[in-house]
Amino acid sequence: MSVSMAMRTPASSSFRSRRSSFRVAAVGQSHVREAVTTTSSLSSYGMVNAALGQPVTRTPVWLFRQAGRHLPEYMQYKKDSGKNFLQLLDDPKDVAEMTMQPLRRYDIDAAILFSDILVIAQAMGIDVTMPGGVGIQVPNPLSAPEDVLAMEKRGALKPDVSGRLSHVIESVGLIKQTIADENRGVPLIGFSAAPYTLLFYMVGGSSKKNTENGVRWLTEHPTESRVLLAALTDWVVEYCIAQIDAGADMVQVFEAMGEHITPELLEAFAMPCCREIAERIRAARPGVPLLCFARDATYANVALQQAGYDVVTLDCASERRGTREALAADAASRGVEPCSVQGNFDPRLLHRDDVGDGAASLEEIDEAVRQMLEDLGPERLIANLGAGLGGKEDTAKVKQFVDSVHKHSADMIAAK
């Protein structure tokens, strides 16, 4: 499907079932960008400037899953502490340490909160486990519409970020303090899963099994799905605002399960949530850059630009020049500036040589970076991967990617 496909705004009356206050109107991006441009000077963070379309001297870069199992120091820390991934998330000191590790190794331009996309599901009383070797699991997913009613009766649909996610918010503050103590001079990115991605796990239990359950719920139980999505939207908004108030400089929303939803259902169910998230965070905390990644559904990037996100992300399959052109055409039709983009380097190029599967040499990585920057342009760009680091990467190759982005983009911008 073409990346330029514009998503139609669904009739809000059909989405408001059982929640009349659920708003789906898109945010006019012209208002957002004018407010930012006229009320703020350039940030000291190149990442923030790039997100807001302001001048930079080089393209900033960070990496999805930059903290974690590709780092030897992370694996050693887990071994020494005797904790698994989920256990590390419970202690702000562990979270801060994991967040800082990639900053100490690479010249990346941002930290991102070390956390997981399912913490909101956990906060709502959903069991989340990590048995090892199969990823994070929801062993007892929602099986019937009555389960949503039961959640509502016990108060799980009402956000309680200060109570159930206080350890995450404490972690944000500790990370900011650690960044300052180590004089790193980079912004902190907070993040959350998007509502459909959370629903997908809550009714399916896994990213690899029962992947049809998300769509089945939307089609067979639309009323209960909308009730759950509305509640999840409230949770995401309050969670992101709490991270901002604790020190997060930017917020990334991950619609990670775009592969497992049709464009029509994404338009009808997922996009209204993403619109409301952008609208409400923008109204509550203006000027904070908002990023969104509709992985495997980047045909929705034009709609996300219309919704008011400052940065939309390209996955590995996205056509670079075509995406830029589609965003520019949409923006021009409304008399506003296009949003910035993020992505979309193929992480397989960073694999260790013994892994194979697309592994590239340092020279080939350098050339692939140069090509990415030529395709996307070095400005209004946050360089990143088109998918997360998975643990098979060579740290020397990751470093080459980061350093090549900085070198080539600085040369391109200086030559203008």
Side-chain angles (χ1 to χ4, degrees):
M1 185 169 293
S2 170
V3 295
S4 63
M5 171 184 169
M7 307 292 286
R8 298 185 305 276
T9 303
S12 59
S13 59
S14 67
F15 192 78
R16 288 175 178 164
S17 175
R18 296 191 63 190
R19 187 172 184 268
S20 61
S21 63
F22 193 88
R23 297 166 295 172
V24 299
V27 177
Q29 206 172 15
S30 58
H31 300 301
V32 173
R33 295 193 185 284
E34 284 178 12
V36 169
T37 302
T38 59
T39 63
S40 64
S41 59
L42 292 183
S43 170
S44 61
Y45 299 136
M47 183 78 70
V48 171
N49 290 335
L52 298 178
Q54 296 172 341
V56 294
T57 57
R58 67 183 191 183
T59 301
V61 56
W62 67 284
L63 308 102
F64 294 130
R65 295 186 191 156
Q66 63 189 29
R69 54 187 172 172
H70 91 283
L71 294 175
E73 53 267 42
Y74 170 79
M75 301 304 293
Q76 187 64 48
Y77 190 96
K78 282 183 64 180
K79 180 180 178 180
D80 292 344
S81 68
K83 297 179 180 181
N84 65 25
F85 171 71
L86 292 178
Q87 290 169 330
L88 290 174
L89 300 187
D90 289 335
D91 189 331
K93 294 190 295 296
D94 292 331
V95 172
E97 172 62 23
M98 299 302 95
T99 301
M100 296 302 298
Q101 283 184 348
L103 273 71
R104 297 166 185 153
R105 179 179 281 270
Y106 308 123
D107 186 24
I108 46 180
D109 294 289
I112 183 167
L113 170 67
F114 182 76
S115 187
D116 184 68
I117 60 174
L118 294 185
V119 294
I120 286 178
Q122 282 184 299
M124 298 173 77
I126 301 294
D127 290 334
V128 177
T129 64
M130 192 169 188
V134 293
I136 292 179
Q137 306 282 302
V138 175
N140 300 300
L142 305 179
S143 60
E146 293 76 19
D147 294 340
V148 176
L149 180 60
M151 291 181 69
E152 188 173 42
K153 286 183 175 179
R154 68 172 184 266
L157 300 189
K158 184 178 180 180
D160 181 17
V161 172
S162 62
R164 303 303 301 271
L165 292 171
S166 60
H167 59 293
V168 182
I169 306 309
E170 182 182 347
S171 298
V172 172
L174 182 56
I175 293 165
K176 285 291 290 186
Q177 184 60 55
T178 307
I179 290 173
D181 290 345
E182 297 189 12
N183 197 28
R184 296 289 166 181
V186 298
L188 172 62
I189 303 171
F191 80 90
S192 174
Y196 174 71
T197 291
L198 288 163
L199 180 147
F200 172 89
Y201 276 98
M202 291 168 71
V203 303
S206 168
S207 63
K208 304 184 186 305
K209 297 180 180 180
N210 305 318
T211 55
E212 73 286 352
N213 279 9
V215 165
R216 182 178 66 80
W217 265 72
L218 299 183
T219 54
E220 295 182 9
H221 314 302
T223 297
E224 290 78 13
S225 293
R226 287 177 173 129
V227 169
L228 183 55
L229 287 169
L232 289 167
T233 299
D234 286 342
W235 271 95
V236 171
V237 169
E238 294 201 16
Y239 181 46
C240 290
I241 289 174
Q243 291 180 57
I244 293 168
D245 289 347
D249 302 285
M250 314 170 73
V251 173
Q252 168 86 50
V253 177
F254 286 100
E255 189 65 277
M257 291 298 139
E259 178 183 2
H260 304 297
I261 187 172
T262 66
E264 295 76 19
L265 289 175
L266 183 142
E267 176 183 351
F269 287 91
M271 277 300 301
C273 300
C274 291
R275 289 189 185 101
E276 181 168 356
I277 289 166
E279 176 185 1
R280 290 171 60 185
I281 295 175
R282 181 75 65 204
R285 302 294 181 269
V288 176
L290 303 180
L291 301 78
C292 192
F293 186 10
R295 189 180 69 180
D296 297 313
T298 56
Y299 54 81
N301 275 348
V302 167
L304 291 170
Q305 172 176 258
Q306 294 169 351
Y309 287 92
D310 298 290
V311 183
V312 297
T313 303
L314 285 65
D315 58 23
C316 293
S318 298
E319 208 287 309
R320 293 168 177 167
R321 295 179 188 268
T323 298
R324 281 288 205 186
E325 290 168 2
L327 293 170
D330 168 70
S333 72
R334 295 183 290 119
V336 299
E337 292 294 319
C339 69
S340 298
V341 300
Q342 179 173 250
N344 68 332
F345 198 81
D346 189 343
R348 292 176 300 177
L349 299 174
L350 308 179
H351 283 178
R352 302 188 306 271
D353 292 338
D354 62 300
V355 173
D357 188 25
S361 67
L362 298 181
E363 292 76 14
E364 289 169 334
I365 291 169
D366 185 72
E367 174 57 25
V369 167
R370 187 197 61 76
Q371 186 62 58
M372 177 187 72
L373 292 169
E374 285 202 0
D375 291 342
L376 290 172
E379 297 172 291
R380 292 186 184 274
L381 172 67
I382 296 173
N384 205 325
L385 308 174
L389 296 170
K392 299 178 181 180
E393 295 79 17
D394 183 335
T395 55
K397 294 182 179 182
V398 175
K399 182 179 185 301
Q400 180 68 58
F401 167 67
V402 172
D403 293 346
S404 291
V405 167
H406 287 155
K407 177 182 182 301
H408 289 304
S409 64
D411 290 345
M412 291 178 180
I413 291 171
K416 285 193 171 185

